[in-house]
Amino acid sequence: MSIPGPDSLSAYLGVAAVLFSAGVLAMATRRNAIGVLLGLELMLNAAALQFAAYGRFRADGLDPQGQTAAVFVIVVAAAEAAVALALLFAVYRTSKDVDLEQTRELRS
Amino acid sequence: MTGELSHLLPEATLAVGVLLVLVADMLLPAGRKASAGLLGVVVCFGALLAAAVSQRGSVSDMLALDALAQLARPGVLLATILVLVAGRAADGRDDGHAAWVALMLALALGALVTAGSTNLVSLYLGLEVMSLAGYALAGWKAGDRRSAEAGMKYVLFGGAASGLMLFGMSHIYGLTGHLDFAGIGAALATDMPLPVLAALILAGAGIAYKLAIVPFHFYAPDVYQGAPALAVAALGTIPKIAAVAVLVRAISLTVPDTLVPPTAFGLALALAAIASLLVSAFTAVASRDAKRIVAFSAIGHAGTVILALACMPGIMPVAAAAFYLAAYTVANIGALVCLAVFERERGSAALDALPGAMRQRPWLTAALCLFLFSLAGIPPLAGFLAKWGVLREALRVGLGEAGREHMTVAALILLASTAVSAWSYLLIVRAAVLQPAPEQPRAARLAPGLVAVVLVCAIASVGLGLWLDGFASIARALGG
């Protein structure tokens, strides 16, 4: 079975690291809640890619556990996105905005 | 496999219960739909019964039903029952109550899976089931801006924490080649390279978020203030029980004994505990909202539990943590149920809204004070005995074991922060009892369900405080 793409673990880990950093950056700097959510998806996908890559490039051969974990991550991420979007919609309905600076009501 | 699957009876009961409640909501005639709450309570009692008769064992390498899980399961289910009964009495609405009950059952299901997990995948699944239900519960009040904002913050911060956790977990898997705790522990037994330690700490982020300890605490005040009080009662207690159970198991299985006490890992726990205690004590005093004060001090209570765990290895620290959690859970649920009543009648739980509560609802206010005193650690209530147990463990380790002197400092900080946070609880008591208010009529009688929940929590808060044999009994249950 030949898989297209680079045949080394470090290439995939590098891509995952870039994805993860981009996600963290987006979560930290975006003011729009949808942008924050996009950053979150990048972080989760970086983790899923790492699970799959680590499972594929094991010293003692392919390990299905890594791929399985990646599938779990993808499924749960979809559920999480659904709940998050529902909550953002609830915020939008009450304040007509999902800008995190504008919707701040809770403080001491 | 069939023998193994029978261990999952409580979880299966809850999962079926979620569906049953939703179906019942469709079948029940309008006006009777609130009975779904009763069904939820029955399902929880069923799961409790199943947990009581279940044997110890494990389900492949995913879930373990060890002494810890056997202790955490009834804790989670009893807390769920208390919140469900209070919710059925407090929520006057007819439609939509069933969905709330289904979410509460899903929260309990996630907590049971988390509490029993012995594998990174089952831990992640359990945490997420718990979180997804929790996010929805926090944003539950339809059309309420603050509740929606609380839900949004909870889901965004929670997502960030689970992203960090997954990133750490995938590195743990890659570096050790295992997903199950025992395999990871075996791989780490010989040496613990720095990257793995970093990955372990990242993976701890998800658990730290559920516990709301520093540095994953910043969501708690906003979420607790904005979310409905009963949701806070559930979110502040049930996930904590589960997170502590799995943290204890993860520590005892993955971190080699030789590495726990004086080195980086034990120190990291102690530092997180100290930071939580300090942050909680000094921010709670500045708050002007009763739910916010409860939130800030919840950070400190979680810090105290972590302080007990930092005294591991051994059974007694875990027993102290378990007793502390039990005392905290009943007092916290009781206090928030009382605040839920005041919040509904007075529009908010801000300190400015509380004066006159003593005249309007003398018994409920007295109960609220009892719960707050227990949380503050005033004898002879449960909170005092629980704090004393943690303090004793910290001093035993700090004074008795070489290289762990920092635990003595931690014990002193625990004492100091207890004094400061007691002051913030007294702020609530002062607002509700002492502050003058215009004459208000005695309020109507409370629903029997609410009275029952408050009574049970009050009796438990007093009873646990007088149960001097408690630590030894819990230790026997954990060790046997």
Side-chain angles (χ1 to χ4, degrees):
Chain A
M1 182 176 74
S2 74
I3 300 168
D7 197 25
S8 79
L9 177 60
S10 50
Y12 291 98
L13 291 190
V15 173
V18 171
L19 271 180
F20 188 78
S21 318
V24 172
L25 198 68
M27 286 207 82
T29 57
R30 287 279 151 173
R31 286 178 52 195
N32 189 300
I34 302 282
V36 176
L37 203 57
L38 286 175
L40 169 61
E41 292 299 319
L42 286 181
M43 284 168 76
L44 293 178
N45 280 312
L49 181 60
Q50 276 195 142
F51 268 121
Y54 274 130
R56 170 74 182 75
F57 294 103
R58 278 246 308 227
D60 52 348
L62 191 143
D63 176 28
Q65 282 191 90
Q67 268 86 338
T68 321
V71 173
F72 272 102
V73 173
I74 292 168
V75 170
V76 174
E80 186 151 350
V83 173
L85 283 175
L87 283 163
L88 295 193
F89 187 62
V91 170
Y92 179 77
R93 268 204 309 202
T94 54
S95 51
K96 295 285 165 233
D97 203 349
V98 287
D99 189 318
L100 292 176
E101 303 288 321
Q102 302 298 315
T103 52
R104 278 202 62 175
E105 179 118 331
L106 300 168
R107 58 185 82 209
S108 48
Chain B
M1 273 312 269
T2 45
E4 291 180 339
L5 281 179
S6 69
H7 295 310
L8 288 179
L9 204 53
E11 285 83 1
T13 312
L14 284 178
V16 173
V18 171
L19 300 176
L20 270 183
V21 166
L22 290 176
V23 171
D25 185 47
M26 287 192 287
L27 298 180
L28 285 168
R32 302 280 308 280
K33 287 190 185 295
S35 328
L38 197 63
L39 184 61
V41 175
V42 171
V43 166
C44 272
F45 271 113
L48 198 59
L49 192 69
V53 299
S54 71
Q55 306 275 312
R56 298 222 176 130
S58 62
V59 182
S60 65
D61 64 348
M62 284 291 170
L63 294 174
L65 302 164
D66 49 5
L68 262 175
Q70 301 276 47
L71 202 63
R73 273 174 157 180
V76 165
L77 291 168
L78 288 172
T80 312
I81 289 171
L82 285 176
V83 178
L84 277 177
V85 172
R88 182 162 183 270
D91 187 7
R93 289 187 313 155
D94 189 45
D95 61 325
H97 185 62
W100 185 82
V101 173
L103 284 172
M104 280 296 305
L105 293 180
L107 182 78
L109 171 62
L112 291 194
V113 173
T114 307
S117 59
T118 53
N119 187 300
L120 294 180
V121 173
S122 55
L123 169 61
Y124 173 63
L125 263 186
L127 279 176
E128 285 298 319
V129 170
M130 198 157 70
S131 302
L132 292 180
Y135 301 147
L137 285 172
W140 185 246
K141 247 195 221 165
D144 183 279
R145 196 171 154 174
R146 297 154 78 86
S147 178
E149 188 189 332
M152 180 178 76
K153 283 189 168 156
Y154 200 30
V155 75
L156 291 181
F157 288 139
S162 67
L164 289 176
M165 175 180 76
L166 271 180
F167 197 69
M169 281 178 171
S170 60
H171 276 305
I172 294 175
Y173 168 63
L175 295 170
T176 66
H178 292 275
L179 282 168
D180 57 311
F181 293 169
I184 296 170
L188 295 183
T190 45
D191 73 324
M192 169 101 86
L194 197 62
V196 181
L197 185 70
L200 275 179
I201 289 176
L202 267 184
I207 296 174
Y209 182 81
K210 283 287 134 206
L211 281 169
I213 53 173
V214 175
F216 293 96
H217 66 289
F218 37 77
Y219 74 95
D222 285 354
V223 171
Y224 281 35
Q225 189 186 355
L230 280 177
V232 177
L235 297 178
T237 54
I238 295 167
K240 282 198 176 109
I241 300 173
V244 167
V246 75
L247 189 59
V248 170
R249 184 178 304 110
I251 292 175
S252 47
L253 284 180
T254 62
V255 183
D257 278 354
T258 49
L259 285 170
V260 176
T263 52
F265 203 80
L267 197 63
L269 280 182
L271 278 180
I274 291 173
S276 306
L277 286 168
L278 289 176
V279 166
S280 134
F282 289 103
T283 43
V285 175
S287 302
R288 305 299 307 155
D289 183 284
K291 269 158 67 192
R292 225 179 153 83
I293 292 177
V294 171
F296 277 124
S297 51
I299 299 170
H301 291 300
T304 315
V305 174
I306 295 299
L307 189 64
L309 297 188
C311 303
M312 285 173 70
I315 292 270
M316 281 317 281
V318 183
F323 189 90
Y324 195 93
L325 265 180
Y328 162 78
T329 301
V330 288
N332 205 42
I333 290 181
L336 281 161
V337 167
C338 296
L339 286 176
V341 174
F342 290 133
E343 185 183 40
R344 193 183 39 166
E345 289 176 351
R346 294 159 181 267
S348 99
L351 290 183
D352 304 335
L354 286 179
M358 188 65 186
R359 288 202 179 185
Q360 207 178 10
R361 289 203 177 280
W363 287 108
L364 195 70
T365 313
L368 176 65
C369 294
L370 177 93
F371 298 132
L372 294 176
F373 287 151
S374 179
L375 287 171
I378 291 170
L381 299 166
F384 170 73
L385 193 59
K387 276 213 168 71
W388 185 73
V390 176
L391 200 63
R392 194 180 53 178
E393 285 307 307
L395 285 177
R396 176 182 64 78
V397 170
L399 298 175
E401 291 183 25
R404 299 178 79 181
E405 284 80 11
H406 57 273
M407 293 306 293
T408 316
V409 181
L412 293 177
I413 292 176
L414 173 61
L415 270 181
S417 73
T418 301
V420 179
S421 63
W423 178 256
S424 59
Y425 285 124
L426 288 178
L427 289 177
I428 306 180
V429 173
R430 188 185 68 166
V433 179
L434 297 177
Q435 270 180 9
E439 194 71 35
Q440 283 165 323
R442 284 283 287 265
R445 276 173 172 276
L446 284 173
L450 276 174
V451 176
V453 171
V454 170
L455 263 182
V456 167
C457 289
I459 291 170
S461 289
V462 175
L464 280 175
L466 301 175
W467 189 32
L468 296 175
D469 195 29
F471 298 112
S473 303
I474 294 175
R476 268 199 304 280
L478 282 169

